[in-house]
Amino acid sequence: EDQVTQSPEALRLQEGESSSLNCSYTVSGLRGLFWYRQDPGKGPEFLFTLYSAGEEKEKERLKATLTKKESFLHITAPKPEDSATYLCAVQSSYITETSGSRLTFGEGTQLTVNP
Amino acid sequence: EPEVTQTPSHQVTQMGQEVILRCVPISNHLYFYWYRQILGQKVEFLVSFYNNEISEKSEIFDDQFSVERPDGSNFTLKIRSTKLEDSAMYFCASSEAPGGNYGYTFGSGTRLTVV
C-alpha cells in the first residue's frame, strides 16, 4: 500500500525566512511525485511533478527535489501570499491506458507566512 | 486558463437521501476522477473514469456510489442513501493522460453536509 508522510504538520515563518517541507513516501514503483497547493475551501492546485531521484523543478520561490525515499519543497524568501497547505502525493508505476492512476496524498503541511 | 467546474458549491441533505454532485471537466481531457476530503483529513481517491467506464476505484467507493458521464461535458457522482460520515468536500479532477507533467486539474469542490 502506498504511503505518504509529510512534516511538519504546520510551519509558521516570517516573511523572507526560507525553509523546507518534507514528504517521505513508500510506493510500489514510483511513477510520479506531485506537489499541490491548497487554499482554504478550495481544490488542490498543481505545482510540480517529479519522476526520478535527483530531479529538481522550480517555480517562483518554490523548488521541489526528489530522492528515492523523500521529496523536499524548498521555499525561498516566502511572502504572505505563499500561506497555504502544501500537499504531496504519489502515483504508482502501475499505469496502463485504461487502468487507474490514483494519487495517494499525505496529510499536508499548513504554511503560514507572517508579514 | 481552463478549469474544472463543480456544482453546487455546498449541499446539505438529510441522512438517507440521494445526492448528485456535478462536474464539468476540462474539454480536451479524457480521464476523470473523484476525490474526497473529510474535514481535517487527507485527500482520498474515490474513482477514476475513462472511455465511459470506471478504470479504478478505491475501497471507499462501494455500492452506495456511482459515476456517470451523461453527455459530452458533464461528469457526475451519485451517492445513494447518504450517511453522516459521507459529509466531506468532494473534488472532481480531470487530466489529459493518466500520468503526466501537468498533474490533475481539480475543481473547487462541493461541500456535502449530511444532517
Side-chain angles (χ1 to χ4, degrees):
Chain A
E1 182 181 336
D2 301 342
Q3 291 192 340
V4 177
T5 303
Q6 292 187 248
S7 61
E9 291 183 13
L11 181 63
R12 191 176 292 271
L13 299 174
Q14 288 298 122
E15 184 171 2
E17 180 187 2
S18 301
S19 189
S20 296
L21 313 182
N22 177 263
C23 170
S24 298
Y25 64 90
T26 304
V27 65
S28 54
L30 181 69
R31 171 66 175 85
L33 185 140
F34 298 77
W35 281 98
Y36 283 86
R37 169 189 171 128
Q38 186 176 29
D39 292 298
K42 300 292 185 183
E45 176 188 343
F46 173 73
L47 294 173
F48 304 109
T49 308
L50 301 168
Y51 294 103
S52 57
E55 188 175 3
E56 299 183 353
K57 287 192 177 174
E58 288 189 63
K59 180 179 179 179
E60 297 180 355
R61 295 177 291 283
L62 301 177
K63 183 168 83 171
T65 62
L66 181 65
T67 73
K68 289 186 178 179
K69 294 184 179 180
E70 57 191 350
S71 176
F72 294 92
L73 184 66
H74 307 279
I75 304 176
T76 302
K79 298 181 178 181
E81 52 262 43
D82 295 322
S83 298
T85 296
Y86 290 85
L87 304 176
C88 174
V90 296
Q91 184 179 60
S92 165
S93 58
Y94 176 65
I95 285 184
T96 67
E97 185 179 273
T98 55
S99 74
S101 54
R102 71 171 70 187
L103 298 181
T104 300
F105 282 86
E107 302 268 4
T109 293
Q110 185 175 12
L111 175 66
T112 304
V113 182
N114 296 316
Chain B
E1 187 169 329
E3 58 181 32
V4 174
T5 305
Q6 291 188 242
T7 55
S9 58
H10 190 189
Q11 180 150 3
V12 181
T13 189
Q14 296 271 352
M15 191 168 55
Q17 295 297 304
E18 174 181 289
V19 296
I20 298 176
L21 311 182
R22 304 182 189 279
C23 168
V24 179
I26 292 173
S27 60
N28 65 333
H29 285 185
L30 301 177
Y31 297 82
F32 313 116
Y33 315 90
W34 285 100
Y35 285 78
R36 80 172 184 189
Q37 187 174 31
I38 296 171
L39 188 63
Q41 298 186 24
K42 63 176 68 175
V43 177
E44 300 174 291
F45 170 78
L46 292 178
V47 66
S48 59
F49 191 85
Y50 169 73
N51 199 26
N52 284 318
E53 60 183 29
I54 290 174
S55 51
E56 186 180 9
K57 59 183 180 180
S58 72
E59 309 72 35
I60 303 169
F61 194 90
D62 59 21
D63 293 343
Q64 182 194 7
F65 296 89
S66 62
V67 290
E68 190 179 30
R69 187 154 164 83
D71 53 44
S73 59
N74 291 284
F75 180 51
T76 62
L77 174 69
K78 181 189 290 185
I79 310 176
R80 288 181 280 275
S81 189
T82 49
K83 308 170 192 170
L84 295 176
E85 53 265 37
D86 295 327
S87 294
M89 198 75 163
Y90 288 80
F91 295 109
C92 174
S94 68
S95 66
E96 294 180 45
N101 287 318
Y102 307 106
Y104 304 95
T105 303
F106 283 80
S108 291
T110 293
R111 179 169 299 283
L112 176 66
T113 303
V114 182
V115 297

